Amino acid sequence: MSYIRDFGPAGISATWSLTIEEQFYLVAPAIIFFLPRCFLWPALIAVGLMSIAARSICFALYPENVYAPYVLTPLRLDGLSAGGLIAIAYRSPKWCTIESRKSLLLTAMIVLLGIAPFYTWFLHSEIAHQVLYHFGHSYLTVLYSLALLNILTRSGTVATSWLRSPAMIGVGAISYSLYLFHTPFKGIFFIAAGHPESFRSWTDGLLLFLALLSTFAFCAALYWIVERPAQKLGKSFSYSTTKSPCHRACQKQERPFELSQQTVDWPHQ
């Protein structure tokens, strides 16, 4: 996409993010296994910051190619690094410190949400790409990270009870499939009706509604026929918890984490 400077056919335009994630999943497990845990979070911070800098520099040097900073994996690693940092924090004793700062996390998220209307306005201005690549993606990474932290620190409370509803659980189970397949289904319905993909009439609204229903039905069937059996198959295997020799370098630092894990796991044994 960066080479041809186009997202390609609308029906498969969402695959740019799938490519980034698959490349990340191919590399990340090896890094997590071989890199000592005490070096993992500094490495994620470094990767995230370098990705932000590289994205901004890439656009500054090649402003005519607005696709490269959007779709190239090395330039979009800040969000994935932030997710990795949250996962590490959630499994460490330091999570209690984060939970004690719920008010601060909520305030920070509200402040960033207050910027959203201005950010959206700039995306429709003449400097849209400058705002997006020098600020926008980093802004969204921080905003989404704060949203996730606020949800996790309030897990099991009334504030997040709506996320535990059967409807939200069901949508969550097929959410990524919905993201991947909504564009092909929209294209199929509009092509069949001989309409351009736009919302200008009640007919267009009906086509969008039918495409949405079809997408939900297809993704639900895909989950029960393919994804759920695959998940069960994966859980049927046992995995060794033996650490790589490289992790011995952080053995002393990991002891509190190991003890906390044993304390948590003991009632279930």
Side-chain angles (χ1 to χ4, degrees):
M1 292 178 179
S2 172
Y3 179 74
I4 65 173
R5 300 182 185 183
D6 191 272
F7 285 112
I12 60 170
S13 59
T15 54
W16 69 267
S17 64
L18 179 64
T19 303
I20 291 174
E21 287 150 17
E22 291 304 321
Q23 291 172 352
F24 172 79
Y25 295 143
L26 287 173
V27 176
I31 294 175
I32 293 171
F33 182 78
F34 288 107
L35 191 66
R37 187 175 284 119
C38 59
F39 297 141
L40 186 56
W41 67 267
L44 287 171
I45 292 175
V47 169
L49 292 177
M50 286 190 294
S51 183
I52 292 172
R55 181 170 60 236
S56 183
I57 293 171
C58 177
F59 179 72
L61 295 177
Y62 307 100
E64 70 281 358
N65 188 351
V66 297
Y67 290 91
Y70 201 96
V71 303
L72 292 181
T73 300
L75 310 184
R76 297 301 304 272
L77 292 176
D78 46 328
L80 293 167
S81 297
L85 288 169
I86 293 174
I88 293 173
Y90 190 70
R91 290 166 173 81
S92 75
K94 295 181 180 179
W95 183 251
C96 296
T97 304
I98 297 175
E99 282 192 321
S100 66
R101 298 177 179 174
K102 294 178 183 178
S103 299
L104 179 61
L105 291 171
L106 181 59
T107 302
M109 186 181 73
I110 292 173
V111 170
L112 289 185
L113 282 173
I115 300 175
F118 303 98
Y119 171 63
T120 304
W121 182 84
F122 275 112
L123 289 182
H124 293 84
S125 69
E126 295 180 354
I127 58 171
H129 291 120
Q130 288 88 335
V131 172
L132 180 63
Y133 297 132
H134 295 314
F135 169 78
H137 286 310
S138 305
Y139 161 72
L140 292 176
T141 292
V142 177
L143 177 60
Y144 295 154
S145 298
L146 284 171
L148 182 56
L149 285 170
N150 275 284
I151 291 171
L152 291 174
T153 55
R154 290 169 173 79
S155 179
T157 66
V158 176
T160 57
S161 59
W162 62 280
L163 291 172
R164 300 190 296 273
S165 65
M168 291 300 294
I169 293 173
V171 172
I174 62 172
S175 58
Y176 201 79
S177 295
L178 289 173
Y179 167 68
L180 286 179
F181 292 107
H182 77 280
T183 49
F185 274 96
K186 182 178 66 171
I188 289 172
F189 275 86
F190 274 88
I191 291 172
H195 284 228
E197 291 189 25
S198 60
F199 188 18
R200 299 179 179 177
S201 66
W202 288 105
T203 303
D204 294 335
L206 177 61
L207 291 173
L208 287 171
F209 179 70
L210 293 174
L212 180 64
L213 288 180
S214 300
T215 305
F216 266 91
F218 174 81
C219 293
L222 184 67
Y223 174 76
W224 287 103
I225 296 173
V226 179
E227 292 184 44
R228 189 174 175 84
Q231 291 172 2
K232 289 183 176 180
L233 177 63
K235 292 177 181 178
S236 66
F237 295 96
S238 60
Y239 300 91
S240 172
T241 58
T242 303
K243 294 180 180 178
S244 160
C246 297
H247 286 88
R248 294 174 184 173
C250 294
Q251 186 175 9
K252 292 183 179 179
Q253 291 92 327
E254 290 179 347
R255 280 179 183 171
F257 174 78
E258 301 292 343
L259 291 174
S260 67
Q261 286 294 89
Q262 292 172 10
T263 304
V264 172
D265 292 340
W266 178 79
H268 302 285
Q269 293 177 354

